[in-house]
Each structure stands twice: as C-alpha cells, then as structure tokens.
Amino acid sequence: MRQIRQSRKLKDVRYDVRGPILVEAQRLESEGHRVLKLNIGNTAPFGFEAPEAIVADMVHHLPDSQGYADSRGIYEARTAVMNYYQSRGLRETSVEDVFIGNGVSELISMVLQAFVDDGNEILVPAPDYPLWTGAVTLAGGTAVHYRCDEADDWNPDLADIEAKVTEHTHALVIINPNNPTGAVYSEETVKGLVDIARRHDLVVMADEIYEKILFEDAVHHHAATYAGSDVLCLTFSGLSKAYRVCGYRAGWVMISGPKELATDFIEGLTLIANMRMCSNVPAQHAIQTALGGYQSVEELIGPGGRYYEQSMLAHRLLNEIPGVSSVRPRGALYCFPRLDPEVYPIEDDEAFVLDLLRAKKLLVTHGTGFNWPAPDHFRLVTLPDVTVLEEAIGRIADFLAVRR
C-alpha cells in the first residue's frame, strides 16, 4: 500500500511554539512528570479568568446562537468593533469594514489566502509571531524578514525594511505590541513604517492583539491612524489576551484606507469567510460586552497588577543570570532574552530548549522558532504568578550554570 503523505505545500511551514518541543513535553507528562509550560500565552492555566459580564452575556445568548450567523460576523459584534475604532479617531470605519473570526490566527490565514499569489513577497518582522511566516508560505508567498534591532529596544530597522522591498513585495506586516519581544512602537516608528508602505504601494497588515497590554508610559498607536485614505490597512485584534478568553476564539480584522481600490480583494476575503460558514457564534456575543464595558485589564497592567509585576520580575531575574540579557518589555506577555554566544556557544537552540525541558521540566520556545536568524534567544511567557516565575527562572539559572 502507498504511503499517505502530507501536502508539499507544508514543506517550509513551521509552528515551533507547538512543535517537537511540545511533543517531548507531552511524552514527559505521560511518564508522570509535571512540566511547567511557558511556551504559549494561554491565560487560563495561570489563574486568569474572563470578566463575569462576558461569561454571563455568552450564557444569555446561547439559545440564540444555535444556527449559523452572517459569515462576516453578527451585526452587534461588528458594530461594537466599528464603534471602538471610531472612538479612536478612525471615524470612516463602518460595519462593512469588519470581519469577525475564530481569533486573529484564523483571520490572518484567511486574509493571506485571499491576498497572496504564488511568488508574492510579504515583509514580516524578525523575530515574528511564527503564524505570519507560516501562513504566508502556505498561501504560496515568500516571507521576507526585516530586522528588529535588539540594541534599539527591538524597534524595526526602517532602513533594512526599505532595502528589502522589491517589485514582488505586496505587504508589510507590523506586530505592535510585539510578540515575542514586548516592544511597543513609538508614534514616529509607526509613522515611518506606514510611510514605507505608502512610498512602495504596499498593504499594511497590523497585528495589534496586545494593544491593551501596555506598561508604564508605553502608548499604543494604531497603524490605521497614519495609513489614512491612501494606504490600505488591515488591523487585526481580539479578546484573547486583554480579556483572558483565549479559548473563546473571538477576533476581528478591520479594513481601512482606499477600500474602493480593494473591492476585488474584499470580494475574495468574503468568499473565504463564506466557505467557513461563520465563526463561533456564542463567542461573538462577548465582543460587544467586552469593548463596551469596564476594562478590567487596567487592573493588571499597572504597578501591583499581575501582568505588570510578573513581566518586570521576569525581566529583572533574567538579567541577573550571568551571560543573559533581556530588553525590558513595554507590553505583551513575554520576554525574549539573549544568551551571550561567548558564554553559551549554542549551535542548535531547539536542542538547547529540549535539553532544558528534559533536565528541568520547563518548556520555553527557542528563538529561531520565531524566525530570529541566530540560535541565541528564547521566549519566556510571563503569565505565572511571581512565586512560580521565580522558581521557573531559577531552574533556567541552574541549568545554565553547568553550561558556562
């Protein structure tokens, strides 16, 4: 009998956040070991719960959520998203500009399937959230990685972006606040990114899922604000992180700019939305309540709040380990520390995190899994409470002490 093989389209597609390292963690768990998983920004396992009003609203609407909805999303959810962006100065936003999806991840894949032709190049940050690179590749395009500069607080290198634009470049991806680095881009940087798109007639794809998770004086700037009426901008966001409902899968994409030039693309996106019938209907009912109600995330991101205190603690403890340096996160839920190659000459960072997992029963993700070119970084999720986080980073310190 013939072997049943995966599609050749998957040849260069990777998603190492849930790759071989997770398989090994599951094997260890099957043997009875307890593994602390700091590889995914999943809020629920670390004691974060959804606001009660969101859960109550979903329960209330369950009897009305048994059938398919409009493939673009229920009207109330799309209206809530419209009002959200209008309140932030994007007054031309209409209900017709909003598509609801099963989280931002689904929408990224849908948009790229509707947008990318074979051979198209899409500018993606390095490091990136690896779904972007994987989805571009799966759609038949080429992800061209532009450099984010660790020495400049992980801000994008605008000159590097400019140098990588070719006649085949069609879009610029912006991840702000950034996963995995925790960078939050200044107004000047966001303007500079959009100006590159304007000069080269590129579509901006702005992944802003962490827009509400900001520390100290960090301010989030919507790329769509500066894209104006002459740069098509697709803004992705959702409820998973700020509202602690990762499993509900409630996200959206908002289209702004010269939509009259994008009618063919929007028709294609609508076709793909129709093909999947609709996104999870009960979760859509959470969107209006979340965006219109009390923003409880504010309790988490200031001094004394868990998101803030855990992020700052992780940053401090990592920097106390000899040969480790970590840029202070200004937002999001991660640290992306560097291992000095002079101290830790690592050639294979996936093997490094597998060794850490087996020795210390601690699961993190290697930096090359985020399309960082050198094997000298890893990503740590900062969601555990301070006691667990201290223990976790202590395990890392102990592991590294025997490798110096």
Side-chain angles (χ1 to χ4, degrees), residues 341-370:
E342 296 295 321
V343 181
Y344 309 104
I346 296 167
E347 295 183 1
D348 183 337
D349 58 345
E350 183 176 342
F352 166 79
V353 299
L354 282 168
D355 289 344
L356 172 64
L357 170 63
R358 291 167 183 142
K360 297 297 181 180
K361 310 303 181 287
L362 178 69
L363 182 60
V364 299
T365 308
H366 48 295
T368 57
F370 299 93

Short mmCIF file of all heavy atoms in Angstrom, two decimals, residues 341-370:
data_model
loop_
_atom_site.label_atom_id
_atom_site.label_comp_id
_atom_site.label_asym_id
_atom_site.label_seq_id
_atom_site.Cartn_x
_atom_site.Cartn_y
_atom_site.Cartn_z
N PRO A 341 26.66 34.44 23.13
CA PRO A 341 27.36 33.31 22.49
C PRO A 341 28.75 33.07 23.03
O PRO A 341 29.27 31.94 22.93
CB PRO A 341 27.40 33.73 21.01
CG PRO A 341 26.29 34.71 20.85
CD PRO A 341 26.22 35.45 22.15
N GLU A 342 29.37 34.11 23.61
CA GLU A 342 30.70 33.92 24.20
C GLU A 342 30.62 33.08 25.47
O GLU A 342 31.58 32.41 25.85
CB GLU A 342 31.33 35.28 24.51
CG GLU A 342 31.59 36.14 23.29
CD GLU A 342 32.64 35.51 22.37
OE1 GLU A 342 33.62 34.94 22.90
OE2 GLU A 342 32.46 35.56 21.14
N VAL A 343 29.48 33.14 26.13
CA VAL A 343 29.29 32.39 27.39
C VAL A 343 28.62 31.05 27.12
O VAL A 343 28.97 30.02 27.71
CB VAL A 343 28.47 33.23 28.39
CG1 VAL A 343 28.29 32.46 29.71
CG2 VAL A 343 29.12 34.58 28.63
N TYR A 344 27.64 31.08 26.22
CA TYR A 344 26.88 29.87 25.88
C TYR A 344 26.93 29.66 24.37
O TYR A 344 26.07 30.15 23.64
CB TYR A 344 25.42 30.01 26.33
CG TYR A 344 25.26 30.43 27.77
CD1 TYR A 344 24.89 31.75 28.10
CD2 TYR A 344 25.49 29.54 28.81
CE1 TYR A 344 24.73 32.15 29.41
CE2 TYR A 344 25.35 29.93 30.14
CZ TYR A 344 24.97 31.24 30.43
OH TYR A 344 24.83 31.62 31.74
N PRO A 345 27.94 28.98 23.87
CA PRO A 345 28.09 28.79 22.42
C PRO A 345 27.11 27.75 21.88
O PRO A 345 27.47 26.62 21.57
CB PRO A 345 29.55 28.34 22.28
CG PRO A 345 29.86 27.66 23.58
CD PRO A 345 29.07 28.39 24.63
N ILE A 346 25.86 28.16 21.75
CA ILE A 346 24.80 27.25 21.33
C ILE A 346 24.73 27.22 19.80
O ILE A 346 24.64 28.27 19.15
CB ILE A 346 23.44 27.72 21.90
CG1 ILE A 346 23.48 27.65 23.43
CG2 ILE A 346 22.29 26.89 21.35
CD1 ILE A 346 22.33 28.37 24.11
N GLU A 347 24.76 26.05 19.24
CA GLU A 347 24.66 25.91 17.79
C GLU A 347 23.25 25.55 17.35
O GLU A 347 22.85 25.86 16.22
CB GLU A 347 25.65 24.83 17.30
CG GLU A 347 27.11 25.21 17.51
CD GLU A 347 28.06 24.18 16.96
OE1 GLU A 347 27.58 23.16 16.39
OE2 GLU A 347 29.29 24.38 17.08
N ASP A 348 22.49 24.88 18.20
CA ASP A 348 21.14 24.44 17.88
C ASP A 348 20.24 24.81 19.05
O ASP A 348 20.26 24.15 20.09
CB ASP A 348 21.14 22.93 17.63
CG ASP A 348 19.77 22.39 17.21
OD1 ASP A 348 18.76 23.04 17.51
OD2 ASP A 348 19.72 21.31 16.60
N ASP A 349 19.46 25.90 18.88
CA ASP A 349 18.67 26.36 20.02
C ASP A 349 17.46 25.48 20.29
O ASP A 349 16.96 25.44 21.42
CB ASP A 349 18.28 27.83 19.86
CG ASP A 349 17.48 28.12 18.61
OD1 ASP A 349 17.44 27.27 17.71
OD2 ASP A 349 16.90 29.22 18.52
N GLU A 350 16.98 24.74 19.29
CA GLU A 350 15.90 23.79 19.56
C GLU A 350 16.41 22.67 20.46
O GLU A 350 15.74 22.25 21.40
CB GLU A 350 15.33 23.22 18.27
CG GLU A 350 14.16 22.27 18.51
CD GLU A 350 13.51 21.78 17.23
OE1 GLU A 350 13.70 22.39 16.16
OE2 GLU A 350 12.80 20.75 17.30
N ALA A 351 17.61 22.19 20.17
CA ALA A 351 18.21 21.17 21.03
C ALA A 351 18.43 21.72 22.44
O ALA A 351 18.25 21.00 23.44
CB ALA A 351 19.53 20.68 20.42
N PHE A 352 18.80 23.01 22.51
CA PHE A 352 19.01 23.64 23.82
C PHE A 352 17.73 23.62 24.66
O PHE A 352 17.75 23.23 25.84
CB PHE A 352 19.50 25.08 23.62
CG PHE A 352 19.43 25.92 24.87
CD1 PHE A 352 20.40 25.80 25.85
CD2 PHE A 352 18.38 26.81 25.07
CE1 PHE A 352 20.33 26.57 27.01
CE2 PHE A 352 18.31 27.58 26.22
CZ PHE A 352 19.29 27.45 27.20
N VAL A 353 16.59 24.02 24.07
CA VAL A 353 15.36 24.06 24.87
C VAL A 353 14.86 22.65 25.17
O VAL A 353 14.21 22.43 26.21
CB VAL A 353 14.26 24.93 24.20
CG1 VAL A 353 14.73 26.36 24.04
CG2 VAL A 353 13.79 24.35 22.88
N LEU A 354 15.15 21.68 24.30
CA LEU A 354 14.81 20.29 24.61
C LEU A 354 15.63 19.78 25.79
O LEU A 354 15.12 19.08 26.67
CB LEU A 354 15.01 19.41 23.38
CG LEU A 354 13.92 19.49 22.31
CD1 LEU A 354 14.38 18.81 21.03
CD2 LEU A 354 12.62 18.87 22.80
N ASP A 355 16.91 20.15 25.82
CA ASP A 355 17.75 19.77 26.96
C ASP A 355 17.24 20.40 28.25
O ASP A 355 17.20 19.74 29.30
CB ASP A 355 19.20 20.19 26.71
CG ASP A 355 19.89 19.36 25.64
OD1 ASP A 355 19.37 18.27 25.30
OD2 ASP A 355 20.95 19.81 25.14
N LEU A 356 16.84 21.68 28.17
CA LEU A 356 16.29 22.37 29.33
C LEU A 356 15.01 21.67 29.80
O LEU A 356 14.80 21.46 31.01
CB LEU A 356 16.00 23.83 28.97
CG LEU A 356 15.23 24.66 30.01
CD1 LEU A 356 16.04 24.81 31.29
CD2 LEU A 356 14.88 26.04 29.45
N LEU A 357 14.17 21.30 28.87
CA LEU A 357 12.91 20.62 29.19
C LEU A 357 13.17 19.30 29.91
O LEU A 357 12.55 19.01 30.95
CB LEU A 357 12.12 20.39 27.89
CG LEU A 357 10.90 19.48 27.98
CD1 LEU A 357 9.84 20.06 28.90
CD2 LEU A 357 10.32 19.24 26.58
N ARG A 358 14.08 18.51 29.37
CA ARG A 358 14.34 17.20 29.97
C ARG A 358 15.01 17.32 31.34
O ARG A 358 14.71 16.54 32.25
CB ARG A 358 15.22 16.38 29.03
CG ARG A 358 14.50 15.97 27.75
CD ARG A 358 15.45 15.43 26.71
NE ARG A 358 14.76 15.10 25.45
CZ ARG A 358 15.26 15.30 24.25
NH1 ARG A 358 16.47 15.84 24.11
NH2 ARG A 358 14.56 14.98 23.18
N ALA A 359 15.86 18.32 31.48
CA ALA A 359 16.60 18.46 32.74
C ALA A 359 15.76 19.13 33.83
O ALA A 359 15.84 18.73 35.00
CB ALA A 359 17.88 19.26 32.50
N LYS A 360 14.98 20.13 33.44
CA LYS A 360 14.30 20.96 34.44
C LYS A 360 12.78 20.93 34.35
O LYS A 360 12.11 21.63 35.10
CB LYS A 360 14.79 22.41 34.33
CG LYS A 360 16.28 22.59 34.62
CD LYS A 360 16.61 22.21 36.05
CE LYS A 360 18.08 22.39 36.37
NZ LYS A 360 18.39 22.02 37.78
N LYS A 361 12.25 20.15 33.41
CA LYS A 361 10.79 20.03 33.24
C LYS A 361 10.15 21.41 33.07
O LYS A 361 9.11 21.73 33.64
CB LYS A 361 10.16 19.29 34.42
CG LYS A 361 10.84 17.97 34.76
CD LYS A 361 10.87 17.02 33.56
CE LYS A 361 11.53 15.69 33.88
NZ LYS A 361 13.01 15.75 34.04
N LEU A 362 10.81 22.21 32.24
CA LEU A 362 10.37 23.58 31.96
C LEU A 362 10.36 23.77 30.45
O LEU A 362 11.36 23.53 29.77
CB LEU A 362 11.33 24.58 32.61
CG LEU A 362 11.05 26.06 32.37
CD1 LEU A 362 9.78 26.48 33.08
CD2 LEU A 362 12.22 26.92 32.84
N LEU A 363 9.21 24.21 29.92
CA LEU A 363 9.04 24.33 28.47
C LEU A 363 9.03 25.79 28.05
O LEU A 363 8.15 26.56 28.44
CB LEU A 363 7.71 23.66 28.06
CG LEU A 363 7.36 23.64 26.58
CD1 LEU A 363 8.40 22.89 25.77
CD2 LEU A 363 5.98 23.03 26.37
N VAL A 364 10.03 26.19 27.26
CA VAL A 364 10.09 27.51 26.63
C VAL A 364 10.23 27.28 25.12
O VAL A 364 10.27 26.14 24.66
CB VAL A 364 11.26 28.36 27.18
CG1 VAL A 364 11.09 28.61 28.67
CG2 VAL A 364 12.60 27.70 26.88
N THR A 365 10.30 28.35 24.35
CA THR A 365 10.41 28.21 22.89
C THR A 365 11.70 28.86 22.41
O THR A 365 12.04 29.96 22.83
CB THR A 365 9.21 28.86 22.18
OG1 THR A 365 8.00 28.36 22.74
CG2 THR A 365 9.23 28.56 20.69
N HIS A 366 12.39 28.17 21.53
CA HIS A 366 13.67 28.65 21.00
C HIS A 366 13.45 29.83 20.06
O HIS A 366 12.44 29.94 19.38
CB HIS A 366 14.41 27.53 20.28
CG HIS A 366 13.57 26.76 19.32
ND1 HIS A 366 12.50 25.99 19.72
CD2 HIS A 366 13.63 26.62 17.96
CE1 HIS A 366 11.94 25.42 18.67
NE2 HIS A 366 12.60 25.79 17.59
N GLY A 367 14.45 30.71 20.00
CA GLY A 367 14.33 31.94 19.24
C GLY A 367 14.18 31.74 17.75
O GLY A 367 13.47 32.49 17.07
N THR A 368 14.85 30.73 17.18
CA THR A 368 14.71 30.51 15.74
C THR A 368 13.29 30.07 15.39
O THR A 368 12.88 30.16 14.23
CB THR A 368 15.72 29.47 15.22
OG1 THR A 368 15.56 28.25 15.94
CG2 THR A 368 17.15 29.98 15.37
N GLY A 369 12.53 29.61 16.38
CA GLY A 369 11.13 29.30 16.16
C GLY A 369 10.30 30.53 15.86
O GLY A 369 9.17 30.43 15.37
N PHE A 370 10.86 31.71 16.15
CA PHE A 370 10.22 32.99 15.82
C PHE A 370 10.92 33.68 14.66
O PHE A 370 10.83 34.89 14.49
CB PHE A 370 10.21 33.89 17.06
CG PHE A 370 9.43 33.31 18.21
CD1 PHE A 370 10.08 32.55 19.18
CD2 PHE A 370 8.06 33.48 18.31
CE1 PHE A 370 9.37 31.99 20.23
CE2 PHE A 370 7.35 32.92 19.35
CZ PHE A 370 8.00 32.17 20.31
#
